[in-house]
Amino acid sequence: MIGKLIRKKQHTTKRNDLARRIEMAQMESRPAHISIIMDGNGWWATKKALPRVVGHYEGMKTVRKITKFANKVGIKVLTLYAFSTENWSRPKTEVDYLMRLPVEFLGTYLPELIEQNVQVQMIGNHDNLPEHTKYAIKKAVEQTSRNNGLILNFALNYGSRDEIVQSVQQIVNKAQNGDITCEDICEELVSEHLMTSHLSDPDLLIRTSGEIRLSNFMLWQLAYTEFWFTDMLWPDFDEECLMDAIESFQGRNRKFGGLS
Ligand code: FPP
């Protein structure tokens, strides 16, 4: 009984503390666009002697939690690296499972996302995604297109080098057709041909699971992004962790190559 009361009190204290942190964070400029490399699902499961896919399933639940929280804090865009162009090299069973996750996630949580005014978007190459994955994404994108809350942007079958190559191809095509000249090619033009052309560059990049690398993620867009790395595995990542990252961002001095 006493244990139960203590746990309840701790839970209430934690919730109140988080509410206070949100309030404080909202008084300062927040990162408009946060991108996350959600790493550590496999390791989380292996540590518990569970199949790797269980870790991905838990990771999916974290996606739900963090989306809801980011929306609450007033983040405009949340880009989540869900599957890279290199992830096809994983065992087929794992790839199949990862391709089912958007179906599972959107099949379960789409009504909730709609209710929260979240807009679902996707960057990456649609072409070789299985039909069921494409269908789930298309439906979610269509049904949330008029929402104007948080943009939940899934990077799925996404690779930054692939994206840059496609951008260069489109630009060269335009030049060959005489639509642009060599002098028209500038940073803005390249950005306009990336899959993120309609989004601002990420202000904050988070990577979980203690790995310190970008893994072919948004290489162009991250030029002046603030990085935040944590040892926490993605299934364990929670609201407090996201607040830690946001508060760390708010304590930084962004100079964009100039002087403060
Ligand atoms: C990185 O590797 C993670 C992935 C390839 C998948 C991430 C996917 C999710 C978190 C779920 C996505 C949910 C939706 C709704 C699309 P790993 O975690 O396998 O790495 P590890 O083996 O180093 O732990």
Side-chain angles (χ1 to χ4, degrees):
M1 181 67 181
I2 291 179
K4 214 170 166 187
L5 278 175
I6 292 174
R7 270 198 303 279
K8 199 169 165 205
K9 183 154 173 29
Q10 280 171 339
H11 183 72
T12 312
T13 312
K14 208 172 151 187
R15 214 179 40 213
N16 290 345
D17 189 42
L18 193 60
R20 191 187 48 78
R21 289 174 76 186
I22 297 172
E23 232 171 79
M24 296 287 283
Q26 284 171 337
M27 285 192 240
E28 287 180 53
S29 95
R30 278 151 289 167
H33 185 170
I34 298 182
S35 53
I36 307 185
I37 303 178
M38 308 179 288
D39 200 4
N41 298 333
W43 181 225
W44 181 92
T46 307
K47 275 197 341 182
K48 293 180 155 47
L50 293 166
R52 288 176 55 80
V53 292
V54 177
H56 293 312
Y57 185 79
E58 287 302 313
M60 181 192 78
K61 293 204 264 177
T62 305
V63 169
R64 177 197 182 198
K65 188 166 58 187
I66 293 305
T67 300
K68 192 171 173 183
F69 187 70
N71 199 17
K72 189 170 170 185
V73 176
I75 305 303
K76 303 280 177 232
V77 186
L78 182 66
T79 297
L80 302 179
Y81 203 10
F83 192 89
S84 77
T85 45
E86 288 73 33
N87 286 150
W88 294 105
S89 65
R90 293 187 176 205
K92 185 173 179 313
T93 47
E94 184 167 339
V95 169
D96 289 348
Y97 191 85
L98 285 169
M99 286 297 148
R100 281 242 155 243
L101 274 187
V103 182
E104 170 83 23
F105 178 78
L106 296 166
T108 311
Y109 302 123
L110 185 57
E112 186 178 291
L113 295 172
I114 293 172
E115 197 188 302
Q116 290 165 14
N117 195 23
V118 168
Q119 189 184 133
V120 177
Q121 295 188 5
M122 185 201 137
I123 53 170
N125 217 326
H126 284 80
D127 295 346
N128 39 352
L129 292 178
E131 284 306 319
H132 55 262
T133 316
K134 271 196 263 201
Y135 177 75
I137 299 274
K138 187 168 174 280
K139 185 174 153 204
V141 169
E142 279 170 9
Q143 292 194 5
T144 61
S145 64
R146 277 180 295 277
N147 291 354
N148 58 7
L150 174 85
I151 295 177
L152 173 60
N153 183 33
F154 285 110
L156 196 63
N157 193 18
Y158 172 86
S160 185
R161 288 181 172 182
D162 177 55
E163 177 189 35
I164 292 169
V165 167
Q166 283 186 42
S167 155
V168 171
Q169 285 170 341
Q170 288 168 23
I171 292 169
V172 170
N173 240 315
K174 286 187 182 166
Q176 281 174 340
N177 293 337
D179 298 333
I180 54 167
T181 65
C182 188
E183 287 68 39
D184 293 325
I185 301 174
C186 57
E187 290 186 14
E188 286 73 24
L189 190 87
V190 174
S191 291
E192 280 165 23
H193 288 81
L194 297 176
M195 293 163 182
T196 50
S197 57
H198 57 298
L199 301 172
S200 60
D201 287 340
D203 301 291
L204 174 63
L205 169 90
I206 296 170
R207 182 170 186 146
T208 55
S209 135
E211 303 293 350
I212 317 285
R213 57 173 172 265
L214 291 180
S215 303
N216 201 13
F217 187 52
M218 302 184 100
L219 303 179
W220 175 280
Q221 297 90 334
L222 294 176
Y224 274 102
T225 301
E226 297 296 325
F227 289 2
W228 193 81
F229 296 100
T230 174
D231 288 338
M232 190 73 81
L233 306 176
W234 179 248
D236 294 327
F237 192 85
D238 62 9
E239 292 90 343
E240 273 88 12
C241 298
L242 186 58
M243 275 318 298
D244 288 346
I246 292 172
E247 286 165 358
S248 164
F249 171 87
Q250 290 182 322
R252 300 194 194 176
N253 183 11
R254 299 183 84 192
K255 294 189 283 188
F256 298 95
L259 300 176
S260 60

